[in-house]
Amino acid sequence: MDPEDCMNLEGINIRVSLGKDDLEEIAGLHGLLYSDEFGYDNGFVEYVRETLEEFRGERTDRERIWIVEKDHRVVGSLAVLERPGNKAQLRWFILHPELRGRGIGNLLFKKALDFIKKAGYSSAYLTTQSILEAAASVYTRFGFRIAEEWEEDCWGRKLIQQRYERSFSGGDKKSS
């Protein structure tokens, strides 16, 4: 077993192995929190569910998901996906409000960036919305910068979409 497969932090469990209901729970968490906090419609949870289903299939050793659990329920996640051009995409970064402010989001991001460096990616990116200010502070703390912004009507709102990027030195592609 990978030593990173499971770790426990004061009743919080972070693991990298996917359980049978994890992806549905991650999609549901996105739907609940984004609806409650930002007024997104049900189209958002469907979008998250569809992208997670794509991830459920075959993955390379250059892809990973971290799942945060508390009391046997999924309360957070972050994933690294392999993209063309030796790029990594960060996806599904979410943390239930009851766990925010405890450093867990920073820990997830540190784990993801360590993984990206070890996998030999040359750069990483993520897309988000400008209203997610707390998440943006995590991205910038870890060296990501806004590379592009555009306005879009989606999920029942007018949003400013943002693409954050970060380069890594020594990004020699490693075999999958």
Side-chain angles (χ1 to χ4, degrees):
M1 176 183 283
D2 183 330
E4 191 182 20
D5 185 55
C6 193
M7 62 180 298
N8 196 310
L9 304 165
E10 300 174 27
I12 306 299
N13 186 46
I14 300 175
R15 60 183 164 78
V16 297
S17 58
L18 273 176
K20 70 179 183 80
D21 297 325
D22 288 342
L23 299 185
E24 186 59 37
E25 288 187 49
I26 292 167
L29 182 61
H30 275 78
L32 176 71
L33 296 182
Y34 280 78
S35 171
D36 286 352
E37 294 181 17
F38 303 106
Y40 287 28
D41 66 19
N42 288 338
F44 181 68
V45 72
E46 290 306 316
Y47 165 76
V48 172
R49 186 176 284 118
E50 288 171 12
T51 60
L52 283 163
E53 283 300 326
E54 293 171 11
F55 182 75
R56 183 190 304 270
E58 191 171 319
R59 290 183 304 282
T60 73
D61 61 354
R62 299 180 82 212
E63 297 178 297
R64 178 164 291 172
I65 190 167
W66 291 264
I67 298 166
V68 182
E69 294 178 307
K70 182 178 182 196
D71 301 326
H72 305 289
R73 63 186 174 95
V74 174
V75 292
S77 66
L78 177 60
V80 171
L81 285 72
E82 184 173 15
R83 296 297 188 223
N86 198 32
K87 295 179 181 177
Q89 181 183 15
L90 291 144
R91 302 224 44 197
W92 312 302
F93 179 48
I94 193 163
L95 200 56
H96 194 282
E98 70 185 32
L99 299 180
R100 294 177 189 161
R102 296 173 58 184
I104 297 168
N106 288 330
L107 176 63
L108 287 175
F109 239 76
K110 182 182 179 325
K111 289 182 163 302
L113 294 185
D114 288 348
F115 178 82
I116 287 167
K117 290 174 190 173
K118 185 177 176 183
Y121 286 107
S122 60
S123 64
Y125 71 93
L126 60 92
T127 55
T128 189
Q129 296 82 44
S130 62
I131 61 174
L132 305 176
E133 295 171 1
S137 71
V138 174
Y139 309 149
T140 57
R141 187 176 309 121
F142 283 95
F144 284 79
R145 300 291 175 251
I146 295 174
E148 184 180 2
E149 289 186 311
W150 64 98
E151 192 171 336
E152 190 172 358
D153 286 322
C154 54
W155 308 307
R157 315 187 39 143
K158 186 174 292 274
L159 296 167
I160 303 297
Q161 301 281 11
Q162 297 174 318
R163 178 181 169 115
Y164 280 77
E165 296 179 354
R166 179 183 165 180
S167 295
F168 295 90
S169 60
D172 298 324
K173 184 172 180 175
K174 297 189 177 180
S175 61
S176 299

